[in-house]
Amino acid sequence: MVSTPSSTSATSSHLQPSLAAEQVLAFVNTRANKLQPEQFPDAVTLERWLQEHQLMNPEDVLTDTDLQEALQLRAALVVVLLSHLEDPEAVAPEDLQQATAHLHHLARSHPLISLISDTEVSLVPARSGGSAALGRLLGLITELVLTGRWNRLKACRNDGCQNGFYDRTRNGAGTFCSQNPCGALMAMRAYRKRKQQTQQVPES
């Protein structure tokens, strides 16, 4: 649900994640990495997760096609969140272009309807069934864009993690999901790389 911004809203309000941000990050962080296994091995587990997060009606049933589209959405979101790091080495331009194109395709396949009142706009899925769950996720992303929080959702720079996180730093310069252990690990890697390069410099 997107409310009309107040004229007294402060930028500092964006330093805390909204419910929409928390739900999108929870979805992104179900993927497998070096820290955890895949959380959606089948449509049944995805269906249960969506219902627990109030993104799917109890009477709806997911199909294998819905599962594949959800996994594709999640993969595309990880790439986009990596791009929010504003680090040219974090994601290849062609990967970002492909992820963006895929998000556009999913948005066309799962359209939303705007329910407008005098103070807010609710984005609801135009379709029912399993398709509606993906529509609700896309609606949450739209809300994040409209409320100025979207670029604060990022993916950890540690390529062994890449968990999504909400950048709470005032200058928006957050890079890792947490400074420990991911930040410490990447700092150690950088130190070792610099040390190796120094050792390889030939003596004059």
Side-chain angles (χ1 to χ4, degrees):
M1 183 176 294
V2 183
S3 299
T4 303
S6 170
S7 59
T8 59
S9 296
T11 304
S12 60
S13 65
H14 290 171
L15 300 183
Q16 297 299 321
S18 61
L19 177 59
E22 291 176 346
Q23 286 184 299
V24 171
L25 289 173
F27 174 71
V28 168
N29 290 341
T30 58
R31 61 191 292 273
N33 57 22
K34 292 184 179 180
L35 305 176
Q36 69 175 16
E38 170 61 53
Q39 301 298 297
F40 298 150
D42 51 47
V44 174
T45 54
L46 172 59
E47 182 178 299
R48 185 182 306 118
W49 187 94
L50 290 169
Q51 290 177 353
E52 290 174 351
H53 288 77
Q54 299 181 338
L55 294 171
M56 183 174 175
N57 296 325
E59 64 273 14
D60 291 338
V61 178
L62 284 182
T63 66
D64 288 338
T65 298
D66 295 325
L67 171 63
Q68 293 306 312
E69 289 184 333
L71 297 180
Q72 291 165 1
L73 170 61
R74 190 182 62 183
L77 287 176
V78 171
V79 175
V80 172
L81 297 194
L82 283 171
S83 75
H84 288 174
L85 295 173
E86 297 185 355
D87 179 349
E89 296 184 357
V91 59
E94 57 271 21
D95 291 341
L96 179 58
Q97 182 178 11
Q98 183 177 2
T100 302
H102 193 71
L103 289 175
H104 291 173
H105 169 73
L106 287 173
R108 289 190 294 268
S109 302
H110 304 278
L112 300 168
I113 297 175
S114 299
L115 300 182
I116 304 171
S117 74
D118 59 329
T119 59
E120 62 187 23
V121 178
S122 298
L123 298 174
V124 299
R127 297 178 180 176
S128 59
S131 176
L134 292 185
R136 291 187 182 95
L137 281 167
L138 292 169
L140 293 175
I141 295 170
T142 303
E143 177 180 335
L144 292 170
V145 173
L146 294 177
T147 56
R149 287 184 167 90
W150 179 227
N151 285 344
R152 286 198 170 265
L153 272 70
K154 301 180 178 182
C156 182
R157 185 66 180 82
N158 180 4
D159 56 7
C161 174
Q162 293 188 342
N163 269 343
F165 69 98
Y166 192 84
D167 185 358
R168 299 168 186 256
T169 63
R170 190 165 294 276
N171 62 354
T175 306
F176 303 106
C177 61
S178 64
Q179 288 301 313
N180 188 19
C182 285
L185 177 62
M186 295 299 287
M188 180 58 68
R189 287 181 183 176
Y191 167 76
R192 290 174 178 172
K193 183 177 180 179
R194 290 195 302 271
K195 185 176 181 180
Q196 183 180 23
Q197 291 173 341
T198 301
Q199 293 173 344
Q200 291 176 349
V201 174
E203 297 181 0
S204 56

